[in-house]
Amino acid sequence: MTQQKHQREDRTLVIIKPDGIQRSLIGEIIKRYERLGFKLVGLKMLVPTPEFIEQHYTLDTAWRQKTGEKTIAGYEKKGLEPPSRDPLEITAKILANLKKYLTAGPVIAMVWQGAHVVEIIRKVTGGTEPLTSDVGTIRGDFVFDSYQMSDNDNRAVRNLIHASGSPGEAEREIPHWFKREELVSYKVFQEKILYDVNLDGILE
Ligand code: GDP
Ligand code: MG
């Protein structure tokens, strides 16, 4: 029987998008994840190509359909007519704009590790549209863009960060951005406090 991995080995991919770097938010963003107790196991700066970004968003073959449907539902919820009823047509436009956005300058790619890391990093990053992201989240606290404004200007919504949406997404995205040897396996001593069962060895 293969032993199940402990949750402390969960990993997620985070990208600080070009606007996050231009807004001088690198330190602020890293601080938010680091102070939760997560461990940074991979980090690099690069200027991605449009092909690389298209591959990133379409690693999940259902992404085009799902994103199109989600976007149409979003318009309907606001009582607005979507620009198209065809999910794939909507996504094609979103993808073209994402390619422009994410290749506009350097980005920082990171892999973070720890229990429930995918879910908790999504929680502190905040919802996709900064206009409605909760106060206290990174997107809610540091940017104010909206779908209304970005759609009017035919560009991607500027939301500072990409973070994997599910453990499955993380598993596909991490190897797209990092070679195995670029990720470092190491200990940080606070892990004893975060995960140790007996919490012994503190008292002298
Ligand atoms: P994320 O995981 O929070 O980044 O969101 P998704 O994976 O669902 O969407 C990826 C990207 O597609 C977002 O960062 C947006 O740029 C774009 N997007 C998603 N939903 C919508 C929408 O309803 N309207 C528009 N205009 N763009 C969207
Ligand atoms: Mg996503």
Side-chain angles (χ1 to χ4, degrees):
M1 202 178 80
T2 53
Q3 217 194 340
Q4 224 195 330
K5 274 204 293 184
H6 190 278
Q7 279 159 317
R8 63 190 284 167
E9 293 176 54
D10 292 354
R11 287 179 168 183
T12 196
L13 179 84
V14 173
I15 313 290
I16 305 180
K17 294 177 176 176
D19 52 331
I21 293 179
Q22 296 303 318
R23 298 274 320 278
S24 303
L25 290 171
I26 301 170
E28 179 65 42
I29 290 167
I30 290 179
K31 181 181 85 180
R32 297 270 178 136
Y33 304 142
E34 190 181 31
R35 70 184 184 183
L36 279 158
F38 294 127
K39 178 165 68 178
L40 187 58
V41 296
L43 175 82
K44 63 178 163 189
M45 175 180 269
L46 69 155
V47 183
T49 63
E51 295 70 35
F52 187 80
I53 295 303
E54 172 149 354
Q55 284 160 5
H56 163 81
Y57 280 105
T58 54
L59 288 168
D60 173 4
T61 48
W63 181 83
R64 290 176 198 265
Q65 183 70 24
K66 279 191 300 195
T67 304
E69 285 171 4
K70 194 186 104 175
T71 306
I72 292 170
Y75 279 106
E76 285 171 345
K77 208 172 140 206
K78 288 181 196 148
L80 299 171
E81 185 57 33
S84 163
R85 288 269 157 200
D86 176 2
L88 296 181
E89 204 176 305
I90 298 241
T91 306
K93 215 172 121 200
I94 290 179
L95 189 55
N97 286 335
L98 282 169
K99 286 198 272 186
K100 271 195 238 162
Y101 173 29
L102 283 153
T103 59
V107 303
I108 288 179
M110 300 181 273
V111 176
W112 287 90
Q113 182 174 327
H116 310 293
V117 71
V118 176
E119 208 177 333
I120 293 177
I121 283 202
R122 288 284 283 200
K123 181 179 71 170
V124 304
T125 300
T128 308
E129 186 190 24
L131 174 67
T132 55
S133 309
D134 290 332
V135 172
T137 66
I138 303 170
R139 287 167 173 164
D141 284 356
F142 293 103
V143 68
F144 52 65
D145 204 12
S146 66
Y147 289 141
Q148 194 196 358
M149 189 160 62
S150 62
D151 286 352
N152 277 344
D153 293 344
N154 191 25
R155 60 168 178 78
V157 70
R158 291 184 188 140
N159 58 10
L160 306 172
I161 294 162
H162 165 80
S164 305
S166 65
E169 224 174 88
E171 253 172 57
R172 285 187 292 271
E173 289 176 354
I174 292 169
H176 182 61
W177 288 81
F178 288 89
K179 297 191 192 104
R180 193 184 270 274
E181 61 270 24
E182 290 176 316
L183 299 175
V184 184
S185 285
Y186 67 103
K187 280 193 183 64
V188 287
F189 291 97
Q190 67 170 348
E191 287 173 308
K192 190 153 172 71
I193 300 302
L194 295 169
Y195 304 112
D196 199 74
V197 178
N198 296 316
L199 215 59
D200 47 5
I202 296 174
L203 293 174
E204 292 187 332

